[in-house]
Amino acid sequence: MVKVLHIVGARPQFVKLSPLYNCMKKNNFKQKILHTGQHYDQNMSKIFFSKFNIPMPDFNLNINQLNHGAMTGRMIEMIEKILILEDLDYIIVYGDTNSTLAGSIASKKLRKKIIHVEAGVRNYDKFMPEEINRVLTDRISDLLFCSSLESYNNLVKEGYKKLDCKFHNVGDIMFENIIRADISKSILKNSNKILFTCHRQKNIEKNSLKNIIEAINELSTKYEIIFPAHPSTKKRLDEFNIRCNFKILNPISHDEILRLIMQSKYVITDSGGIVKEAYWLKKPSLSILKSPVWPELININASINSQPIKQMILESFNNLKKIKSFKEKIFGDGRSSQKMVNIILEDFNNTISHED
């Protein structure tokens, strides 16, 4: 029996965990879940476990509201204590958060095998905390699962074929949630709504946040803005006394995010996950980042990227009207979890045979 520990801590990781956990359950894996507590709002954490048919975590570290160094260090320390006591074959980390990096470092120091789900993502911004987490996690992982051919090719270009690891393009596991929900038939085509989200560290610094909100305020004169605010964003808006001329909502569930994407005409976000979901649901999206997380969507003209500068945001938004094509299968065929399980089982069986 394969024994794994899933390490999660932020909303996108719960979304990715769900299909893989349930696929592993069908294949008789022994699984435990460690929640670092990085997202501490109940609507951004606890509700996801019930919504996605995942059991509550075996371990909850409740580490949040700290600076990057303190948060990552505290997580490493506490994860290490748990790993020392657990008999595990693989540690599975997801995406690009502090929880991802902390889980990887703690595991590697104890010579545990690391699986990185959503490996190879690059936007080449060295000052973006998520980019640092991605690169470092990839470098010390043993099995790397890529969401797209572009991510796979990034690892090829970086020389990963020469390293002691294996990497595979299995497609994007988040796509399975879209397929399972079967919601594409409910998409609104004549909406006047814009779903807007903003949470990246660089975007909630004073100057960037001011530019972004001023742009959205201008758009709010013509469109209904739907803004479920991340707790850290809400805190910065209050701290910098930045006024929104539109309603600020509390954090919401993933089902509700999908519903809002369907009900919107456009999506404006700095979330890599929401950009992909907008693409799957055939909604034009504008990502606000120094460099896009998913350049493959820019390349096929399914999304547009803008710097966090007011005029650039408004000019880019005007170009969203030109987006009409959404090519299929850039992120796989919706069978990522089973592909991962098959690869893990093969790796596990090979390891056992070599030990014999």
Side-chain angles (χ1 to χ4, degrees):
M1 181 182 290
V2 185
K3 300 180 289 294
V4 303
L5 175 70
H6 304 270
I7 296 180
V8 292
R11 180 170 66 182
Q13 294 168 333
F14 308 144
V15 178
K16 295 160 195 169
L17 165 64
S18 171
L20 185 55
Y21 183 94
N22 287 299
C23 186
M24 287 183 165
K25 184 178 179 180
K26 292 176 184 176
N27 285 268
N28 298 315
F29 280 58
K30 183 177 181 181
Q31 305 179 77
K32 289 189 176 182
I33 299 172
L34 186 156
H35 180 11
T36 64
Q38 185 170 338
H39 278 178
Y40 53 91
D41 187 282
Q42 178 169 322
N43 283 333
M44 302 185 75
S45 178
K46 185 176 180 180
I47 192 171
F48 283 92
F49 290 93
S50 58
K51 284 285 186 182
F52 283 113
N53 194 28
I54 308 167
M56 291 303 293
D58 300 273
F59 311 98
N60 195 326
L61 306 185
N62 197 30
I63 299 172
N64 49 67
Q65 301 188 71
L66 298 171
N67 291 331
H68 283 284
M71 180 183 289
T72 307
R74 190 79 56 82
M75 287 178 183
I76 292 172
E77 179 183 4
M78 295 185 71
I79 292 170
E80 181 182 64
K81 290 179 180 179
I82 292 168
L83 294 182
I84 289 172
L85 299 174
E86 293 293 318
D87 178 24
L88 298 161
D89 298 304
Y90 299 95
I91 313 300
I92 306 177
V93 296
Y94 299 79
D96 55 18
T97 69
N98 291 337
S99 302
T100 312
L101 180 60
S104 302
I105 291 175
S107 301
K108 184 56 66 174
K109 292 287 187 180
L110 293 173
R111 300 184 179 182
K112 304 285 187 180
K113 269 195 162 185
I114 304 167
I115 297 172
H116 186 199
V117 175
E118 203 176 78
V121 178
R122 300 287 185 271
N123 71 343
Y124 302 102
D125 179 0
K126 291 184 178 179
F127 294 101
M128 186 177 183
E130 292 87 352
E131 181 77 356
I132 298 166
N133 293 342
R134 294 172 195 139
V135 173
L136 296 178
T137 298
D138 281 345
R139 184 59 184 83
I140 60 176
S141 293
D142 300 279
L143 285 177
L144 297 90
F145 292 131
C146 303
S147 300
S148 69
L149 181 59
E150 178 133 353
S151 295
Y152 179 88
N153 287 337
N154 286 339
L155 297 180
V156 173
K157 287 184 285 187
E158 293 174 17
Y160 273 69
K161 286 190 175 181
K162 298 178 182 178
L163 302 179
D164 186 20
C165 65
K166 297 175 184 176
F167 57 103
H168 307 265
N169 177 20
V170 296
D172 199 294
I173 197 163
M174 291 179 69
F175 188 29
E176 296 185 36
N177 293 314
I178 300 289
I179 295 172
R180 182 177 60 190
D182 192 25
I183 52 181
S184 57
K185 296 177 183 177
S186 306
I187 297 173
L188 297 182
K189 297 185 182 298
N190 298 310
S191 171
N192 194 46
K193 296 179 180 180
I194 295 174
L195 173 63
F196 165 59
T197 75
C198 177
H199 75 282
R200 299 276 185 182
Q201 180 178 318
K202 294 293 290 184
N203 283 346
I204 61 174
E205 292 176 358
K206 186 174 184 178
N207 187 55
S208 295
L209 188 57
K210 186 172 183 289
N211 269 267
I212 292 169
I213 296 301
E214 285 181 356
I216 304 301
N217 279 341
E218 189 161 325
L219 291 175
S220 72
T221 62
K222 297 180 180 179
Y223 296 91
E224 180 183 351
I225 307 298
I226 311 297
F227 178 36
H230 191 286
S232 58
T233 308
K234 178 69 166 62
K235 181 179 178 182
R236 293 297 182 88
L237 288 170
D238 293 339
E239 180 182 338
F240 301 141
N241 196 28
I242 297 174
R243 181 179 176 182
C244 296
N245 296 337
F246 46 88
K247 189 175 180 180
I248 300 176
L249 305 178
N250 291 325
I252 57 179
S253 71
H254 183 252
D255 285 350
E256 189 71 5
I257 283 285
L258 294 180
R259 186 181 68 81
L260 290 175
I261 293 173
M262 288 189 293
Q263 292 182 348
S264 298
K265 187 177 184 67
Y266 302 111
V267 173
I268 301 177
T269 184
D270 58 7
S271 163
I274 290 178
V275 165
K276 287 185 296 184
E277 288 163 342
Y279 158 69
W280 288 319
L281 295 173
K282 304 187 187 317
K283 297 290 184 174
S285 65
L286 173 62
S287 61
I288 303 178
L289 290 166
K290 181 179 178 182
S291 301
V293 176
W294 301 105
E296 45 267 76
L297 291 178
I298 309 297
N299 295 339
I300 65 163
N301 195 34
S303 183
I304 295 172
N305 189 73
S306 172
Q307 303 279 335
I309 299 169
K310 177 183 176 181
Q311 197 55 39
M312 189 178 293
I313 292 170
L314 293 173
E315 290 172 2
S316 298
F317 176 81
N318 287 332
N319 289 324
L320 287 182
K321 300 168 187 175
K322 302 175 184 178
I323 295 179
K324 296 178 180 179
S325 174
F326 296 88
K327 294 183 180 179
E328 301 296 330
K329 297 190 177 179
I330 291 176
F331 295 108
D333 57 8
R335 296 186 293 119
S336 302
S337 59
Q338 188 60 60
K339 291 176 183 177
M340 292 183 198
V341 164
N342 292 343
I343 292 167
I344 294 168
L345 287 171
E346 181 181 2
D347 183 80
F348 178 75
N349 291 329
N350 287 340
T351 302
I352 294 295
S353 62
H354 287 154
E355 288 177 354
D356 293 343

